[in-house]
Amino acid sequence: MFFVMRKRHIALFLSAASCLVILAAIWWESGLPEAAETMGNGPSAAPARVIVIDAGHGGADGGAVADDGTTEAEINLAVAKKLEAVFDLLGCETVMVRQEDVSVHSDGVEGLRNQKVSDIHNRVELVNSTENSILVSIHQNSLPQVKSVHGAQVFYNAEDGAAELAAIVQQALNRSINPGNEKQEKPIGSSVYLMAHIDTPGILIECGFLSNAQETQQLKEDAYQTRLALTIAAGYLQYETTDSEASGIDYEE
């Protein structure tokens, strides 16, 4: 028992240390080593956001499927759980849309199509009923026609602050996940029901392409999932501790 507990403590320490290293690297490269000093300090500090973490798809709706049978839903959940753990370690309040490989449709709804409709409506309701929330939705991409395409990309809704958050998280992902394959954050279309119907800032992160065999293998690795979670969290914390002028990023289209 002592050995098991000791291993858990070591793992927790290593996770915390890794998170601090990534946070420090991102803040240093952005010229913001002082940002952590302002976080949550002072009587005028805004209330901390509640981060709603949405693992896309689930249950009978597996989302995109890789050639080896890996489903988007399982990768989404694995990354989302790690992201929740990182935010918890950092003292951020979170709400998970799902904790298991299930659809979040209402009881008694039958048929896959009806369940998917109920599922997305319930996700919207959860976000909108969470006071002072901000949405981070985890997904995986797929482009079978061009299997060489890979990398993580961030999309954002039309609510105030979403574009700024997306830009900073994308910058963090470009450094940590996409070096040499940098991508640009983009506004998301109104066809994505969840992002169009929430009344709070939201970003949707396509963590990689399941149509790319090499990236699929990475996305299945525990260490890579942890790196994704740490990078997303680092970008989020940078967003919360600075404004667009201090960041040096031009958010204009």
Side-chain angles (χ1 to χ4, degrees):
M1 176 64 72
F2 173 76
F3 180 69
V4 172
M5 291 303 294
R6 189 175 179 183
K7 285 180 66 178
R8 288 177 180 171
H9 289 158
I10 291 172
L12 183 62
F13 172 79
L14 291 176
S15 294
S18 298
C19 190
L20 289 172
V21 167
I22 291 178
L23 282 168
I26 290 173
W27 277 331
W28 181 263
E29 291 178 17
S30 302
L32 292 170
E34 75 284 0
E37 298 175 8
T38 66
M39 183 185 236
N41 290 340
S44 61
R49 289 275 195 176
V50 179
I51 307 159
V52 179
I53 303 174
D54 171 47
H57 304 281
D61 176 17
V65 181
D67 288 343
D68 68 357
T70 301
T71 65
E72 177 184 357
E74 61 186 285
I75 302 296
N76 293 346
L77 184 58
V79 174
K81 282 185 171 182
K82 288 178 172 62
L83 185 58
E84 178 194 29
V86 173
F87 279 135
D88 182 62
L89 190 66
L90 295 171
C92 300
E93 185 176 356
T94 61
V95 171
M96 287 284 282
V97 170
R98 65 182 180 96
Q99 289 275 12
E100 300 177 276
D101 183 20
V102 295
S103 167
V104 294
H105 64 266
S106 300
D107 293 341
V109 177
E110 298 183 356
L112 180 58
R113 183 178 182 280
N114 292 334
Q115 289 175 353
K116 290 175 73 171
V117 171
S118 175
D119 173 283
I120 203 66
H121 285 172
N122 286 343
R123 292 179 198 242
V124 170
E125 183 179 357
L126 174 60
V127 176
N128 288 343
S129 64
T130 303
E131 188 175 355
N132 199 32
S133 65
I134 192 163
L135 174 69
V136 178
S137 187
I138 303 297
H139 284 260
Q140 311 303 316
N141 219 328
S142 182
L143 188 63
Q145 305 92 321
V146 189
K147 295 192 174 185
S148 60
V149 176
H150 62 286
Q153 189 167 19
V154 185
F155 298 84
Y156 58 91
N157 69 358
E159 296 295 319
D160 290 345
E164 290 83 354
L165 173 59
I168 293 176
V169 172
Q170 184 68 67
Q171 187 180 77
L173 288 167
N174 283 344
R175 291 198 192 100
S176 180
I177 303 297
N178 299 333
N181 182 40
E182 290 77 9
K183 296 188 181 297
Q184 180 71 39
E185 73 283 352
K186 292 183 178 180
I188 200 161
S190 59
S191 61
V192 180
Y193 189 93
L194 174 63
M195 300 293 283
H197 287 80
I198 59 173
D199 54 17
T200 192
I203 60 171
L204 186 152
I205 304 167
E206 299 280 7
C207 297
F209 283 77
L210 292 179
S211 49
N212 183 293
Q214 182 177 355
E215 190 159 58
T216 297
Q217 290 307 308
Q218 288 181 311
L219 290 166
K220 291 163 63 176
E221 294 172 2
D222 187 80
Y224 192 78
Q225 294 169 2
T226 298
R227 187 171 187 83
L228 279 165
L230 289 168
T231 303
I232 293 165
Y236 176 81
L237 292 183
Q238 184 179 338
Y239 164 77
E240 286 289 2
T241 54
T242 188
D243 57 26
S244 58
E245 288 186 0
S247 71
I249 300 172
D250 181 6
Y251 297 116
E252 295 183 3
E253 296 294 329

